[in-house]
Amino acid sequence: LEMTIFQMKCYLTFSELLNFTRAAEVLHMTQPTLSKMIAGLEDEVGVPLVQRTKRSVILTNAGQVLCTYFRKMLADYKEGLERVSAASQGHCGSVRIGFSSAIISHVLPPLTKQMAAEHPDIDVILYDATQTELLQLLHNDELDLVFVDAFAPATYEELCTKVIYTDELGVIVSMAHPLAQKEAVTLDELRNEKLLISGRLMQSASSPSTTNSIITSTLYENGLLPSVTQVTRTLSNMIVMVDCNAGVAVLPRRLAAYAPSTVRFCPIDKSRKDTASKLEVKIFAAWKERRDNACIRTVIQMLNDILPPEEAMQNPDSQLA
């Protein structure tokens, strides 16, 4: 015999009334049935729970201890049911979010802070990985939602996607460089400059779904590659070399925001006819449509609440609330 929730509730009702007849009435059962149930509990625990006299019925010390534990177990059971219900509605649980670039840094902090404030029962777990790794982890259900850049949704039909940000490509130059004095730079002006590119950009040129490939494709489309270039190992090294006035680089505005004050981001003049592409990258949130985690919907709704309109996000001076 194993104790059931019903037995626990019956025993607690009896312990409050200490009268078999009245407790049986409250529980809508016969007195013999209740007496048999209490006797069954005594057999299971192996000690008397009730002390019967001619005038009264009282609980033994063991019976009182059992009441304490039954109350705690029923409270935990009730809380568990409430949390299960909350989890099914996306108010409780955990959500694993992956990201691959500092370009999303203006979204993640306000998102996690707002989640903590409005949904403290949802544990937001962050993962940092390459975009290829993130998409594989998402496919394997090891992540619930990922932020990826220059994503090609058509190649991942199982995923839902949401454009959360469009970032413009521009030129970063040293403040000592003559181009730093211009409001916008034309592509013609870049043709005579030593162009800095990351080794990652060259390696990713064949990939259709990364910011690196978008930058490389943009440079090729606009006749800036192949040309005399300086290849750096990382984007951070590229910015250092720009700061040393060793060349100029094309980067998204948000990445350029991490450069020192001695480096300036110059927009590219898009009105010129020699511009062959939109000179922008899109940042996506991606998740599995069939993933059974209601917390994902809560995160997406939170993104809708905290992200400003698309046109405001393209304004370099705009900030998330």
Side-chain angles (χ1 to χ4, degrees):
L1 176 67
E2 293 184 358
M3 297 182 192
T4 65
I5 297 297
F6 179 67
Q7 285 177 306
M8 294 181 191
K9 291 180 177 179
C10 290
Y11 180 74
L12 288 176
T13 299
F14 168 76
S15 71
E16 294 172 359
L17 298 175
L18 291 176
N19 185 294
F20 281 98
T21 301
R22 290 172 56 195
E25 291 175 353
V26 171
L27 294 168
H28 304 289
M29 62 174 58
T30 65
Q31 180 178 333
T33 301
L34 178 59
S35 298
K36 184 177 180 181
M37 182 180 295
I38 300 298
L41 288 176
E42 290 180 318
D43 289 341
E44 185 168 353
V45 299
V47 296
L49 301 174
V50 179
Q51 183 177 345
R52 300 166 179 82
T53 68
K54 291 182 178 180
R55 296 184 178 181
S56 64
V57 176
I58 62 173
L59 297 181
T60 64
N61 286 336
Q64 294 174 7
V65 170
L66 189 62
C67 281
T68 301
Y69 279 94
F70 275 5
R71 291 191 184 99
K72 183 178 184 301
M73 293 168 69
L74 287 176
D76 290 343
Y77 175 71
K78 180 180 179 182
E79 181 183 356
L81 292 180
E82 292 173 350
R83 292 183 70 84
V84 167
S85 177
S88 70
Q89 300 174 43
H91 303 315
C92 172
S94 65
V95 59
R96 297 162 299 178
I97 299 177
F99 66 101
S100 63
S101 174
I103 203 170
I104 203 68
S105 63
H106 66 295
V107 173
L108 276 179
L111 173 63
T112 54
K113 290 174 184 176
Q114 197 77 3
M115 286 291 294
E118 297 189 18
H119 300 280
D121 290 330
I122 296 180
D123 187 16
V124 178
I125 306 168
L126 300 179
Y127 290 82
D128 176 21
T130 67
Q131 179 154 311
T132 300
E133 292 170 339
L134 290 177
L135 291 172
Q136 186 61 50
L137 290 170
L138 184 63
H139 175 75
N140 294 340
D141 294 327
E142 296 178 60
L143 291 178
D144 299 304
L145 181 142
V146 298
F147 291 110
V148 287
D149 47 344
F151 182 55
T155 61
Y156 297 90
E157 296 180 355
E158 64 176 335
L159 301 183
C160 295
T161 60
K162 172 183 175 62
V163 179
I164 63 169
Y165 178 64
T166 301
D167 202 6
E168 69 170 320
L169 294 176
V171 184
I172 60 168
V173 298
S174 166
M175 291 298 290
H177 195 287
L179 291 179
Q181 308 305 316
K182 300 180 66 66
E183 292 187 5
V185 176
T186 66
L187 293 175
D188 273 341
E189 290 172 315
L190 289 182
R191 299 185 202 286
N192 299 322
E193 297 294 333
K194 180 180 288 186
L195 197 61
L196 301 174
I197 61 174
S198 167
R200 292 175 56 203
L201 301 188
M202 298 298 287
Q203 296 166 9
S204 305
S206 61
S207 170
S209 58
T210 66
T211 290
N212 288 339
S213 63
I214 291 294
I215 294 175
T216 304
S217 298
T218 299
L219 297 177
Y220 274 113
E221 290 171 6
N222 290 283
L224 297 174
L225 286 180
S227 63
V228 179
T229 60
Q230 174 72 42
V231 179
T232 65
R233 293 177 63 86
T234 65
L235 293 176
S236 58
N237 287 347
M238 181 192 303
I239 294 176
V240 170
M241 293 187 70
V242 168
D243 197 15
C244 293
N245 205 18
V248 302
V250 175
L251 284 177
R253 179 183 287 275
R254 287 289 176 180
L255 283 182
Y258 289 88
S261 58
T262 49
V263 167
R264 180 169 182 260
F265 177 88
C266 299
I268 296 176
D269 187 350
K270 302 180 183 64
S271 64
R272 299 286 295 257
K273 294 181 179 180
D274 57 354
T275 303
S277 60
K278 294 183 178 180
L279 299 172
E280 65 183 26
V281 294
K282 293 184 181 296
I283 309 304
F284 290 81
W287 66 97
K288 267 189 177 181
E289 183 176 11
R290 297 182 180 179
R291 181 73 173 138
D292 187 19
N293 183 350
C295 293
I296 299 173
R297 296 195 300 269
T298 302
V299 173
I300 297 301
Q301 183 57 54
M302 187 66 66
L303 280 171
N304 291 334
D305 293 341
I306 68 174
L307 289 175
E310 178 74 9
E311 59 271 17
M313 296 187 73
Q314 295 184 24
N315 185 337
D317 297 324
S318 68
Q319 297 290 332
L320 287 176

